[in-house]
Amino acid sequence: MSMTRARAARRIAAAAAYGGGGIGLLGGAALGVLVAEVHLARRRVGGSDEEPPRADGRYGAAFGRRRGTRPVLLAFLGDSTAAGQGVYRPRQTPGALLASGLAAVAERPVDLRNVALSGAQSDDLDRQVTLLLDEEGLRPDVAVIMIGANDVTHRVPPAVSVRCLSDAVARLREAGSEVVVGTCPDLGTIEPVQQPLRWLARRMSRQLAAAQTIAVLDRGGRTVSLGSLLGPEFEANPRELFGPDNYHPSAEGYATAAMAVLPTLSAALGMWPAEEERPDVRRDEGYLPVAKAAAQAAGQGGTEVAPAGAAGGRGRPWALLKHRRRRRVAAESAADSEPAARPVGERG
């Protein structure tokens, strides 16, 4: 299955690179069979029209008392998952959780700026990056992007979706930002969705996630599979990890996702223990061709894929696949759990 996913991901990524947009995953006849199931799932899943809580501000402010300490600027872009749809307190959003966790790891204050938009598809990333970079003096040290679920549910051609993400990563990298992308979550675990739509949603979301990884690594970013965000942990315990609308994560669900992303976020900034940067074969880590690493990660939530140059020889791009040890990130214990009043743009 992973080899099939790798081939599909390579085709999607190649089409994105060369401007194509018509690669589909199923024929029109097969999709037609699923129309009734789609309408039924939409009625069952529900949704929320409430605005996600705003969490912009400074976290870990106590660390700023040290003379000469400059805050780390963390940007968040993407869809409702990045915005924190489904929870009610700023400290429960993934941006706040990661800002608090990063402040603890770095022992520096972290300024959070979140421009994510609920309902956004990948073509909105251009607007979000412009909004972020047009702010005077605002150049993120690191940007986190979570995107892809709405592309799948709205049947955006995968190559178009990947090209939009690739362009956004390129712009952020050119601005001097490290980039970590949480790839498309496994939509096959949304509780009210039944077969055969569940199988199709899983197949489409995993293939998109793998193609996203190929494109992001090509631009110098890193990815973390968010399969675990709507993956095995959600599937096993949906009542706890899904929010009231049965679609967006709960506070505990966002904490689970943040716990998976924090090590990669820290490593991108050179703030993770050096001894953990080497692959551990006991944890099934190692160097793989990019497409193979991307396909494997898409099926294993919490897996990081980072560029590794031509580590495998033959001049082909290779990637480092890691299952990093997670640090607990809980909304209840987040340092400075509510953001300080100081605007993000004020660097101190």
Side-chain angles (χ1 to χ4, degrees), residues 45-47 80-81 149-150 153 187 190 192 230 242-249:
V45 167
S80 56
T81 301
N150 294 320
T153 59
L187 298 179
I190 299 174
L230 297 175
F242 277 117
D245 62 6
N246 291 326
Y247 184 85
H248 294 101

Side-chain angles (χ1 to χ4, degrees), residues 43-247:
R43 289 198 298 270
R44 287 178 175 174
V45 167
S48 174
D49 294 327
E50 295 186 18
E51 289 291 325
R54 295 294 300 174
D56 288 21
R58 179 158 294 179
Y59 294 78
F63 295 117
R65 295 170 187 161
R66 301 173 183 176
R67 192 169 183 177
T69 301
R70 183 183 70 81
V72 177
L73 182 52
L74 168 64
F76 249 71
L77 307 90
D79 55 21
S80 56
T81 301
Q85 189 84 42
V87 295
Y88 303 102
R89 296 182 178 179
R91 69 186 185 208
Q92 297 172 327
T93 63
L97 289 164
L98 283 172
S100 297
L102 183 59
V105 171
E107 296 186 345
R108 289 167 57 185
V110 174
D111 285 346
L112 173 65
R113 176 72 170 102
N114 195 327
V115 295
L117 177 67
S118 293
Q121 299 169 26
S122 294
D123 61 2
D124 190 57
L125 289 175
D126 181 65
R127 182 195 63 83
Q128 294 182 29
V129 172
T130 298
L131 180 64
L132 186 69
L133 298 183
D134 277 357
E135 295 187 25
E136 185 175 354
L138 195 63
R139 288 295 182 270
D141 296 296
V142 61
V144 175
I145 302 174
M146 296 180 176
I147 200 78
N150 294 320
D151 297 70
V152 173
T153 59
H154 290 78
R155 292 175 58 187
V156 175
V160 172
S161 175
V162 170
R163 185 166 63 251
C164 292
L165 174 61
S166 176
D167 290 345
V169 174
R171 291 182 63 193
L172 290 165
R173 294 287 292 147
E174 289 169 2
S177 302
E178 298 295 333
V179 179
V180 176
V181 174
T183 56
C184 182
D186 184 354
L187 298 179
T189 58
I190 299 174
E191 190 184 28
V193 177
Q194 303 300 316
Q195 298 291 10
L197 185 59
R198 181 185 293 266
W199 171 86
L200 176 62
R202 169 162 290 156
R203 182 169 182 255
M204 293 176 71
S205 54
R206 288 187 177 182
Q207 287 191 351
L208 178 57
Q212 287 176 322
T213 291
I214 294 173
V216 170
L217 264 65
D218 185 59
R219 296 297 195 175
R222 304 180 184 217
T223 65
V224 178
S225 169
L226 292 188
S228 61
L229 181 63
L230 297 175
E233 293 171 272
F234 281 79
E235 196 167 27
N237 198 10
R239 294 302 181 190
E240 179 180 351
L241 296 178
F242 277 117
D245 62 6
N246 291 326
Y247 184 85

Side-chain angles (χ1 to χ4, degrees), residues 278-286:
R278 296 185 293 272
D280 186 343
V281 294
R282 296 169 299 179
R283 295 168 59 83
D284 294 323
E285 298 177 348

